Amino acid sequence: MIAIIGVIAAGVAGYGLYRKLESDLPDYRWLADYQPQQMSRIYAGDSRLMAELAAERRVFVPIEAIPRRLQQAFISAEDQNFESHQGVDPIALARAIVTNVEQYGSGRRMVGASTITQQVAKNMLVGSDRTILRKAREALLAIRLENALPKPRILEIYLNEIFLGAQAYGVAAAAQAYFNKSLDELTISETAFLAALPKAPNNYNPLRYPEAARIRRDWVIDRMTEDRVITTAEASAAKAEPIQARPSRRPDMVAVGGHFTEEVRRELIQRFGQEQTQGGGLVVRTSLDPNLQAATEVALRNGLMAYDRRRGGWRGALGKSASGPTEWLPALEALPRPPGMLNEWRQAVVLEVRERDARLGWYERPNPRVPAEPRYGAVLLEDLAWARPVLPAQPGQPPRLGNAPRRVSEVLSVGDVVMVEPEPNRPVPAAATPRSAAPAGPRLERLALRQIPEVEGAVVALDPNTGRVLATSGGWSYERSQFNRATQAQRQPGSSFKPYVYLTALEAGIPPNQRFLDGPIEVSTAQGVWRPGNYGGSLSGGYVTMRSALERSLNLVTVRIAQQVGIDRVADTVARFGVIDNMPRYLSMSLGAGETTVLRQAAGYASFVNGGRRVEPTFIDSVQDQRGRVIWRSQARECAGCEAGPDGQPPRIAENRQQVADPIAAFQIVNLLQGAVQRGTGGRAGAGLNRPVAGKTGTTDDYKDNWFVGFTPDIVIAVWVGYDDPRSLGNGETGGSNAAPIFREVAAAALQGSPPVPFRAPPGVALVRITTDRGESILETFRPGTENSATAPTEGGGGSAAAARVDSGLGGLY
């Protein structure tokens, strides 16, 4: 009777324990749709890796893509009855109990009996506490998982989640980490080794414990033979094979495009969220052209350095350091590398200063495991003409510079730490022989003194036919500033805005040979009278054509054109082009007093090339999920006939981009902007390109912003140069002198090796030979029927010889 009562009591207690465990069980049903965290990868347009985004280095592989032999190896090593048990293996459990009883008191680690399903439950749901209650919850969850999920799904989660050492989660990451192979390239020996790792990954690292790794691998091979996964002959061959670990190196990544990559990352987070971006295993294909990106960054830096050497002066050394013959090298090694210092530059310490040269020391370390190698060089006075002292200046104005140095000591002092660039192709003159600071001989190299410019800039290069951004640089260095001045900085476009005003006039039916007065104009505002002027205060003293006004960037004519067509229509044009969404209705806006970004300007000009269709700039071509399915694509255009066979009609891609301007008017602007490069302010942009180039300079009030936005039929490039805190670049510093040369350098790299292509004229446009204001004979573009529609200028249309007076807002830019 007592026994019966005991059995009943035990049953009640067991049932109570079961109900308690059941009530505390976590929800396991989400595992049916679970996708392991894995790194996302961003690729350039040529399929080179740009960046990896991940919290854990994991590569997810669907179960159907994991070789069956690898699956069987893990089953043999970890859970021989996986295919037949229901979550818990009673036979393995009993065997483990007997073994542990026999080994009790021996000091050996207790033998476990967890199935693969139990390990999934432990890793994903209940944690790894070493308690009996945790094991009970684990077993109960494993049984429920077996009822809820198919065996292949459980095994898929296990093989992709398990930690296998070497910072590798999952079998695919482990195969790369240990052998630099994909799963289908693994040998039987390598497969067995991976299956040996779950028990204690760090104890079986073949680089640290080769013998332990071999013993454990051979044990797995025996289990695979016992389960008839491999034959006896295959097992013997596998055991004879040494474990040759070939740890994978991280793949070579594109070394340029930091601002581009960051723009892609931000867009991914905006589209898919932080968690999916960093752990969703996304494969992101971008439009980046790495070669053009490298050329773009070099061109921008060259332009900024040229301005800095002309206007920036020498702002002094980075600091002071020991300069003695023995202590200078360790002191220099201890200094941090300045953010933004170029890879080819070096930090150096001044060891000796003479009247016409200075001796400096720096170091090279080709391999981080070898000691630094001291190097010596000379900076010559003849290379320091640009290093003029910076004098106090008025707020908002460029620095005033002193005279060029007459001796090196005016620039450098012993102990100064400066940035230099070795110039191996320029020998040191014999007169600059070393004294005591450096040994004589060929190791004395010529050095160029360097400094990071304060001025900044931005470039965007995109394909006008698709809007794909091929390259972009958001400043001197992504390392120094992650702020992307190409996409985030709102700056006044100055005269690079004028083509939208002229396009509005062309759409209104005004022909390009219509004449307007280039004379004084007054604008009444609430703050007083605004009197805009042309750049430099010049006046032609008469009437000029629209073409001549745009080529010469005449402000007074532009204001009159905006007055005639109406500032409301100009605002509508720039909104349709996506340049400025809600432009204030002031006449000063016609001179570029509004604000926009470099990216928006590039896209707006691309619409000119594209026949007046709106161009949406894109950085990402497509995004695939971890199973290879395309979940987003930038070009969502219908293709009629793309599914047809080789005998069908050629496919036709539907044009679904918005028509934001009349095609003939857009081509007329292209033709006018060609003149701006050939005969106008943008002459330096097309020098040496030997192909049709169109574009427009922009210089804002007080020279605070310099622009050039230009294009060929194949590429659009927008360039901006200025200070982050808007201040003058200096009198005479214009878009034609600072931004246009950068454009030319980027365009030369983009178009290298490609034949010249003419701009495509739309159907119906009329080409008529005319004589320009300067007496040149050119082909002018007209809308059919408007060839002779230019009217004599009147006070209402083109203005009068006297100053015209209109009402509008404030502003005034060049």
Side-chain angles (χ1 to χ4, degrees):
M1 185 67 181
I2 295 176
I4 295 175
I5 293 174
V7 170
I8 294 174
V12 171
Y15 179 74
L17 179 62
Y18 166 77
R19 291 304 301 268
K20 183 179 186 314
L21 291 174
E22 184 184 46
S23 65
D24 292 339
L25 288 180
D27 184 11
Y28 58 87
R29 289 167 293 185
W30 61 273
L31 285 176
D33 299 319
Y34 169 72
Q35 298 296 337
Q37 289 280 317
Q38 60 175 309
M39 72 182 73
S40 297
R41 288 189 169 97
I42 301 176
Y43 292 91
D46 62 356
S47 296
R48 291 163 60 190
L49 185 63
M50 292 171 57
E52 294 176 334
L53 309 176
E56 297 176 348
R57 294 186 60 81
R58 178 186 284 108
V59 180
F60 175 83
V61 182
I63 192 64
E64 55 269 17
I66 299 176
R68 183 60 184 168
R69 178 173 283 173
L70 181 62
Q71 298 178 36
Q72 291 291 342
F74 276 84
I75 291 173
S76 296
E78 294 293 313
D79 188 0
Q80 284 184 298
N81 298 320
F82 173 74
E83 302 289 353
S84 58
H85 65 65
Q86 297 300 311
V88 177
D89 187 351
I91 298 175
L93 182 60
R95 184 168 58 243
I97 292 174
V98 171
T99 302
N100 288 330
V101 170
E102 292 176 348
Q103 294 180 353
Y104 181 76
S106 65
R108 296 183 183 179
R109 185 175 178 176
M110 296 182 66
V111 176
S114 294
T115 64
I116 284 177
T117 313
Q118 286 178 270
Q119 292 184 55
V120 170
K122 179 185 72 173
N123 294 334
M124 307 298 295
L125 299 169
V126 299
S128 57
D129 297 340
R130 298 181 65 85
T131 64
I132 295 177
L133 283 180
R134 194 273 297 169
K135 290 295 291 184
R137 295 173 69 217
E138 176 188 295
L140 187 56
L141 269 175
I143 294 171
R144 295 199 172 187
L145 282 176
E146 289 281 351
N147 293 328
L149 302 177
K151 290 281 188 181
R153 176 60 174 163
I154 294 172
L155 188 59
E156 179 184 71
I157 294 174
Y158 173 76
L159 292 177
N160 281 286
E161 273 292 331
I162 189 168
F163 177 66
L164 297 174
Q167 298 182 327
Y169 291 82
V171 291
Q176 293 177 357
Y178 289 105
F179 303 113
N180 199 20
K181 289 184 177 181
S182 60
L183 295 179
D184 57 357
E185 296 175 323
L186 295 174
T187 65
I188 294 175
S189 171
E190 292 164 343
T191 296
F193 169 76
L194 294 184
L197 291 172
K199 182 180 179 181
N202 293 327
N203 293 340
Y204 299 124
N205 187 317
L207 296 177
R208 298 175 59 192
Y209 309 108
E211 184 60 21
R214 183 193 63 79
I215 293 172
R216 181 67 180 175
R217 179 207 62 179
D218 291 350
W219 177 84
V220 174
I221 291 174
D222 290 337
R223 296 292 289 264
M224 293 172 68
T225 308
E226 180 183 332
D227 292 341
R228 298 183 179 179
V229 176
I230 58 176
T231 65
T232 303
E234 288 174 326
S236 299
K239 287 183 178 181
E241 182 181 319
I243 302 177
Q244 295 180 338
R246 293 178 291 273
S248 66
R249 296 180 303 165
R250 295 193 69 179
D252 292 335
M253 294 190 182
V254 174
V256 294
H259 288 107
F260 189 107
T261 303
E262 178 61 18
E263 193 69 27
V264 170
R265 189 189 70 85
R266 281 198 295 263
E267 183 176 341
L268 290 173
I269 292 175
Q270 182 181 9
R271 236 174 243 289
F272 303 104
Q274 181 83 26
E275 183 177 351
Q276 181 75 351
T277 296
Q278 289 197 331
L282 303 179
V283 176
V284 184
R285 308 285 179 182
T286 73
S287 53
L288 181 78
D289 180 335
N291 294 330
L292 180 58
Q293 177 66 40
T296 297
E297 293 182 8
V298 169
L300 179 61
R301 287 170 181 160
N302 288 343
L304 298 182
M305 286 179 62
Y307 170 84
D308 188 65
R309 292 171 72 88
R310 188 172 64 251
R311 287 279 190 171
W314 171 243
R315 292 184 292 277
L318 299 174
K320 284 283 187 179
S321 180
S323 57
T326 57
E327 64 269 20
W328 72 264
L329 181 56
L332 191 62
E333 283 188 281
L335 293 177
R337 180 179 178 274
M341 188 176 83
L342 302 187
N343 292 332
E344 57 269 27
W345 295 2
R346 300 291 183 268
Q347 286 191 90
V349 61
V350 179
L351 303 176
E352 182 181 1
V353 175
R354 300 196 301 178
E355 183 174 354
R356 302 194 62 81
D357 58 74
R359 224 74 68 239
L360 292 87
W362 80 100
Y363 67 90
E364 297 285 355
R365 181 183 276 115
N367 189 320
R369 290 173 291 185
V370 301
E373 176 186 349
R375 303 279 287 273
Y376 298 90
V379 171
L380 307 184
L381 178 63
E382 63 189 73
D383 296 331
L384 295 178
W386 65 272
R388 295 178 289 169
V390 178
L391 306 178
Q394 295 296 323
Q397 295 299 314
R400 295 188 305 114
L401 303 181
N403 296 324
R406 292 174 297 175
R407 56 184 64 87
V408 174
S409 59
E410 295 177 17
V411 180
L412 300 175
S413 301
V414 173
D416 282 352
V417 177
V418 296
M419 288 180 285
V420 297
E421 181 177 2
E423 297 185 307
N425 296 326
R426 299 182 66 199
V428 177
T433 55
R435 288 185 177 176
S436 59
R443 296 180 62 187
L444 190 64
E445 299 183 39
R446 188 160 180 166
L447 304 175
L449 186 64
R450 296 288 186 244
Q451 71 179 356
I452 298 175
E454 288 184 338
V455 69
E456 280 289 359
V459 182
V460 169
L462 59 79
D463 183 340
N465 301 304
T466 62
R468 298 173 71 242
V469 177
L470 304 176
T472 182
S473 182
W476 167 265
S477 165
Y478 179 76
E479 178 189 26
R480 186 172 73 160
S481 170
Q482 296 183 14
F483 180 69
N484 191 340
R485 295 157 188 83
T487 62
Q488 296 176 293
Q490 297 282 340
R491 304 296 295 219
Q492 292 183 333
S495 292
S496 68
F497 180 86
K498 290 177 181 176
Y500 305 109
V501 178
Y502 287 73
L503 175 73
T504 306
L506 293 167
E507 287 187 308
I510 301 175
N513 62 340
Q514 177 65 53
R515 292 182 175 275
F516 289 84
L517 176 64
D518 181 26
I521 188 170
E522 295 181 355
V523 179
S524 296
T525 72
Q527 290 79 18
V529 177
W530 173 51
R531 297 181 179 88
N534 291 332
Y535 172 70
S538 63
L539 289 174
S540 64
Y543 293 91
V544 298
T545 62
M546 283 175 57
R547 167 177 288 280
S548 180
L550 186 58
E551 290 178 357
R552 295 159 59 189
S553 197
L554 300 179
N555 290 341
L556 297 172
V557 174
T558 303
V559 172
R560 283 190 162 86
I561 293 174
Q563 175 194 6
Q564 180 163 330
V565 299
I567 198 65
D568 288 339
R569 296 182 68 174
V570 174
D572 177 66
T573 297
V574 296
R576 283 185 278 123
F577 275 70
V579 179
I580 301 177
D581 293 330
N582 296 295
M583 190 186 85
R585 268 54 171 180
Y586 300 135
L587 270 179
S588 58
M589 296 294 119
S590 65
L591 302 183
E595 292 183 339
T596 188
T597 67
V598 179
L599 181 65
R600 285 191 168 206
Q601 276 286 73
Y605 274 59
S607 295
F608 298 152
V609 194
N610 224 348
R613 293 188 180 276
R614 178 156 175 168
V615 174
E616 295 290 349
T618 60
F619 292 83
I620 301 173
D621 290 342
S622 67
V623 180
Q624 294 171 273
D625 65 12
Q626 56 190 5
R627 293 183 180 271
R629 296 171 297 203
V630 176
I631 57 177
W632 187 83
R633 194 186 299 275
S634 64
Q635 298 292 331
R637 300 171 68 180
E638 296 182 2
C639 178
C642 284
E643 303 298 330
D647 298 330
Q649 294 294 322
R652 299 188 308 276
I653 299 178
E655 180 58 79
N656 57 3
R657 288 172 292 187
Q658 181 184 4
Q659 189 77 45
V660 295
D662 177 76
I664 292 180
F667 183 72
Q668 287 178 297
I669 280 293
V670 170
N671 193 262
L672 293 178
L673 292 177
Q674 279 187 268
V677 172
Q678 294 168 354
R679 295 175 293 277
T681 58
R684 297 180 66 178
L689 293 180
N690 300 319
R691 65 185 64 236
V693 179
K696 184 69 185 73
T697 57
T699 306
T700 65
D701 189 30
D702 203 21
Y703 309 96
K704 291 178 180 176
D705 299 274
N706 283 183
W707 291 77
F708 187 83
V709 189
F711 52 88
T712 71
D714 302 313
I715 195 166
V716 175
I717 302 168
V719 181
W720 166 82
V721 175
Y723 287 103
D724 284 341
D725 53 329
R727 53 191 168 104
S728 177
L729 292 166
N731 290 336
E733 298 294 342
T734 66
S737 61
N738 286 316
I742 298 173
F743 166 89
R744 196 211 69 80
E745 192 172 338
V746 176
L751 302 170
Q752 185 177 14
S754 64
V757 178
F759 289 105
R760 296 176 292 277
V765 67
L767 296 175
V768 179
R769 186 163 293 279
I770 67 167
T771 301
T772 69
D773 290 344
R774 297 181 177 182
E776 297 172 288
S777 178
I778 65 168
L779 285 175
E780 187 60 275
T781 54
F782 291 92
R783 188 183 305 278
T786 66
E787 297 89 339
N788 299 309
S789 64
T791 60
T794 62
E795 191 165 337
S800 65
R805 188 176 181 87
V806 296
D807 293 328
S808 188
L810 285 173
L813 299 98
Y814 303 118

